[in-house]
Structures are given as structure tokens and as C-alpha cells.
Amino acid sequence: MLEPALRTHFTTESVAVEEKMNGYNTRVASINGQIVALTRGGHICPYTTEKAESLIPEKIFTDHPEWVLCGEMVGPDSPYAPKETYGIESLQFFLFDIHEKKGGRPLTVAERQEVAEEYGIQSTRLFGTYPLNEAHHKIREIIQMLGASGQEGVVIKDPKMRDPPLKYTSSQSNCDDLKYAFTYYHDYARSFFYSRVMREAFQSVEWREGPAEIEKRSLQLGESILKPMIQSIKRVQSGEKLVENVKIRVKSLKTSEKFKEHLRTLGIDAVFSDPVKIKDEYLIKIQKINHRTNDKTESILRGET
């Protein structure tokens, strides 16, 4: 529940509310004078590193080699979480935190905004700073606005960054996550399911929804689970293989080869298309094969249990 969570969690008199971008989490730093980008699990991603080199000015690390930039890589040319929602042509880095390498001390929200402006780095949208005892009303308005446009939610922060942040997502985002998870149900559904259904139930109670609103939410939630799963079963039944279709856009074909090896290292089976030259870059489509869901579906269709 948002209102009591804010009171219990934060020790400040006000909170800053920023947009939670729907992409993949990236940390960018300078190591031995070279910009590197790390994704989930602390792995250096060659594709994200190439993108970071063009999106983040080298001067920031010349001036501040002790910083780690934390942000979200967002856009359609994402191999991890492709999104068309934001009108981005390829991939964009949105800065949401800056930490020191040693000790991890964060810059304040205001300091980070100043840095982003000084170095010309895109920053996540700051909706405002609100008194703690009133913030839940404003956050609900923001969440409803973001949900209506298919966007994810908000991150709620102590402006001085002394208390850890909280995240609050829209119902539409929860359901989009479930659609994805249940398309590849034997790969992702179990890990996605419980937390998002919990969010939906508690948000409904917190917003004091009536019977019509509860029915609408329930229908949206149920369709997010059942429809993609039925479609996946039918596709396998017709002889298709379930794959995740993503794409990358690289300046160097060496980056594509390094990224292919990176996916192998992560245990991801992927098929890369031939590159298509677009201006000074190469567009490469990738099919990531979800073996567990394919195998499970084929097994059940054969009558095995």
C-alpha cells in the first residue's frame, strides 16, 4: 500500500517522483580509460558499451573518473527489452542515478540533474518533489496518466538520496509484463506472476475501486495471462517455434560478433540475421529461442505429462 509505505520507508519531509523508464538497467563507468557498460548480473555487454560510447560524452569521465552512471537503455533496438512506447528511433540512455565507485555514495537528485544538464545527458523525467503526507495523491494521478499511455511507473526517492528508493508501477505495465511472461510461460511465468498479481490486488484496494473497476481490472489481468498462453500453444501446435524477435543497430560488425558470443556466454540460444546497412550503421535482427516453453508445449501436445 503506497500511503503507509511512504510513511514507513522515508525519513524525509518530502519525496522526489521520477519516471520509471521501461528498458534495461545499465551502469556505465570508465575502466582503465575506456567506457564500459554493465547490464544485469554485472556483465559487460559489448553492444550496450558501443551505444554508451556514442550516447555519453567521454568528458564526464575525464572530469569525474570516480563516477558510475546508472541509467536505463530504452528504445526499439534493444536486445533485452525492446519498446516502441517512447518514440525513440534506436536506443537512448536515460540517467537516473550517479554513484561513486568507492563506497557507492550517490549524488542527490538535484546534483544529478545539474550534471545531466552540464554534460548534455538525457535524464529521467522528474515530475516534482512533494510533501511526504501528500505525495500518494499526486503519485496516483501520475500513475494513471502514465498507464493510459502504456508507460511503466515511477521511482520515489529521498531528494538527498539517504533513504533507498521505492518503485510503483501502473496496472498496464503489470499486465504487459504478464503478457510477455505467459507468451513464454515455461521460461518466465512463475517468476513474473506472483508479485504482479499482488500489486494489482493491493492497488485495487488502495484506490477503493468499485465493482465495475474491479471487473475491468480482473478482465485485463486474466486476458494478460490466458490469451498469450493460448496463442503460444496454437503456434507450437501449427509447427512454429516460439522465439523472441529483437534487433540491434551497430556501427561495427565486430560488435555484433562480440554480442553473439556474449549471449552464448549467458546461455542464450540466438539466431542472427545478415546485417542490413542503414546509413553508417548495421541493423541486425535476432531470434532468441525459448527452448523450455517450446519443449514443454510440444510434450503436452503429444499427451505427455
Side-chain angles (χ1 to χ4, degrees), residues 85-124:
T85 312
Y86 300 98
I88 295 166
E89 182 182 356
S90 179
L91 203 64
Q92 180 62 51
F93 178 79
F94 289 86
L95 180 69
F96 59 68
D97 279 331
I98 300 175
H99 291 261
E100 292 179 353
K101 285 180 185 175
K102 293 182 179 179
R105 187 188 74 85
L107 272 65
T108 67
V109 171
E111 288 169 341
R112 188 207 75 220
Q113 286 186 300
E114 290 173 7
V115 168
E117 187 173 344
E118 179 182 353
Y119 290 96
I121 300 172
Q122 190 84 29
S123 189
T124 52

Side-chain angles (χ1 to χ4, degrees), residues 20 28 79 81-82 89 101 128 133 164 179 183 187 205 225 252 258 272 286 288:
K20 185 180 187 302
V28 183
E89 182 182 356
K101 285 180 185 175
N133 61 350
K179 286 176 188 174
T183 298
D187 289 270
V205 172
I225 293 168
S252 168
K258 289 178 182 177
F272 282 56
I286 303 170
K288 296 196 288 185

Side-chain angles (χ1 to χ4, degrees), residues 149-168:
S149 57
Q151 295 176 23
E152 188 168 5
V154 297
V155 180
I156 308 154
K157 295 180 176 179
D158 168 3
K160 299 296 183 185
M161 295 294 287
R162 291 168 298 199
D163 298 327
L166 289 179
K167 298 174 184 178
Y168 194 71

